[in-house]
Structures are given as C-alpha cells and as structure tokens.
Amino acid sequence: MQRKRIHMLVLAGGLLGGLALAAPVMAADAPAAPAAAAAPAAAAPTSAEAEKAAKEAAIAAAIAAPPADAAMLANTCAGCHGTNGVSAGPSMPSIAGMPAPYLKHVMAEFKSGKRPSTIMGRIAKGYTEEETSRIADFLSKAKWQNVASHANSQLATKVDDARAKKGKKLVDTQKCGKCHEDDGLTQDEDTPRMAGQWVDYLLIKMQDFKNQHLTVPQPEKMQKAIDKLSPQELEDIAHFYASKR
C-alpha cells in the first residue's frame, strides 16, 4: 500500500512538472494577440485649406517685412505724373506739393471705383491704406514746378494770352474763385491746384466733368457751372488757369 501511494505521488509530480515546462512552449506557439488598431493617417488638406494656409503665410510674411520706403512707393506714380509728381505730359496733372488729404481722398475714390479711371483704379487697389498715406505724404512735400518749365512743354498746347483774358472774365462771372481761390493757386483737401497745369489736361478734365456718363465725383455747384459753359468757353478757362504760375 505504501509503495502504491509513493508511485502515485511520483506520477502526479511528473505530470505537474510537464505542464510547467509545456506552458512556455504553448505560449510561444499561440497566435499573437491582434495589435491595437493603428491611428488613421491625417487627411490631406483640401485645396481650399491649402489656399487659406498660403494666404495666412503671405500675410504673416508681409507683416514681418519692414514697410516700403515712401520714395520707392511714389516711384510708381512717376511713369505718368513725372518724377516727384512733376508732370512730363500734357494729359497728366502735376501732383507735386498737393495737400496729402486731397491725394488720399482721390486715391480712395479710385480704389473704390467711385472715381472713373482707366489705370488709376487698378494701381490704387495695389496699395494698402497705410501705403497710400505714405505716398500722399511724400508727394505733398515735393516741390511744385510749373509745367511750362518742363522740356515737354514744347509738345503741348501753348497758352494763348488772348484766350486767357477771355477765360479770366468767365472765371469772374461764374465765381470760380469761391473754391479755386487766388486764380487757382490755392489748394486744400477738397480743391486741387489748377494754376500752372497743362492747358490740355485742364480742358480734358472740364470735358470729363461735362460728360454725365462718367459721373466724376464733384460738388453740385461745380456741375452746374460746367453745364452752363460751352466747349469754347471751357477752353478759354483752361488757357486762363494754365497761364498762372
């Protein structure tokens, strides 16, 4: 009986030992547990998101960049209005020395489309309000020079003294001096300088004012005065203001 019990204990111990040895093997042979699902890949940005990101980056770069020099910005104007705002062509006004508020106001009208134009509207849209202000301030400090002193004045319509005298009478009759004081020399934020501009330019602008299809911004009293005058009379007035220095 005692031998039988010992034999059974030996068999039980061997069985338990075998199970202990087999456990690592079974674990190694068992299929691996499924790995956790991988995180989904980030979705590629849409074209709209990419465009927005590019714009934001451009704005950030522009903010970080130093402001452009006022003289450099004003150089854009030189192609039409001449170096430092002194006109080199009879169809363009000299803007050197004009009041900064007036220049800013006109540029804002070009930018918004309120003031009709062929080129100025597109140019004005390319500047921020701050840049427009810098250009206006720079040109307002430039020295005025009469267009008659420019070499290109030989190519423009010359002032006719007889017509200038007729223009003077019309200016007095129409009371133009209420706004264009001192024979057009005075200028402020509402009124540009007329004295010493090109005959051709002055006539072009007065004809523009008379053209109701252009809807050029102007005071009502200016429109009424222009409507009363004939093309011949407008030309006489142009000669008068151009004769002033």
Side-chain angles (χ1 to χ4, degrees), residues 81-88 93-96 143-147 149-150:
H81 294 284
T83 303
N84 293 332
V86 180
S87 174
S94 274
I95 55 178
K143 183 180 179 180
W144 166 267
Q145 293 183 43
N146 191 277
V147 295
S149 63
H150 200 283

Side-chain angles (χ1 to χ4, degrees), residues 2-235:
Q2 185 69 22
R3 287 182 180 180
K4 188 175 181 179
R5 290 182 62 189
I6 294 171
H7 181 68
M8 290 177 67
L9 289 172
V10 169
L11 287 174
L15 180 60
L16 291 173
L19 290 174
L21 292 172
V25 175
M26 292 172 65
D29 292 340
T46 64
S47 58
E49 290 172 338
E51 183 179 353
K52 180 181 178 182
K55 286 182 179 179
E56 290 176 349
I59 292 172
I63 293 173
D69 180 77
M72 183 183 74
L73 290 170
N75 278 341
T76 306
C77 310
C80 294
H81 294 284
T83 303
N84 293 332
V86 180
S87 174
S91 64
M92 289 291 159
S94 274
I95 55 178
M98 282 192 175
Y102 173 77
L103 293 174
K104 294 175 190 176
H105 176 71
V106 171
M107 284 287 284
E109 289 184 335
F110 278 130
K111 187 172 185 175
S112 68
K114 183 177 181 181
R115 182 175 290 264
S117 67
T118 54
I119 297 175
M120 279 301 305
R122 296 196 294 271
I123 291 176
K125 288 177 182 177
Y127 293 106
T128 64
E129 185 176 346
E130 180 184 353
E131 289 172 333
T132 296
S133 180
R134 290 166 65 83
I135 291 171
D137 289 339
F138 175 82
L139 290 172
S140 69
K141 296 171 184 174
K143 183 180 179 180
W144 166 267
Q145 293 183 43
N146 191 277
V147 295
S149 63
H150 200 283
N152 287 348
S153 64
Q154 300 300 317
L155 306 175
T157 301
K158 293 184 176 3
V159 173
D160 184 313
D161 292 336
R163 301 201 70 171
K165 288 181 181 179
K166 293 180 182 179
K168 169 61 174 172
K169 291 180 181 179
L170 288 167
V171 165
D172 291 341
T173 301
Q174 297 297 322
K175 298 180 181 180
C176 302
K178 284 189 174 182
C179 295
H180 301 286
E181 300 175 17
D182 299 325
D183 292 339
L185 289 168
T186 299
Q187 53 186 0
D188 53 38
E189 61 185 71
D190 297 318
T191 309
R193 179 181 180 125
M194 299 225 353
Q197 298 281 10
W198 302 100
V199 170
D200 307 77
Y201 166 72
L202 293 171
L203 183 57
I204 288 170
K205 293 314 297 179
M206 284 189 278
Q207 290 171 338
D208 284 349
F209 291 148
K210 203 172 180 68
N211 185 346
Q212 296 181 359
H213 297 292
L214 289 179
T215 61
V216 180
Q218 60 181 312
E220 184 178 351
K221 55 187 175 181
M222 176 73 172
Q223 183 65 60
K224 289 180 178 180
I226 289 287
D227 288 342
K228 293 178 183 178
L229 298 168
S230 68
Q232 184 77 19
E233 290 172 326
L234 290 177
E235 195 167 345

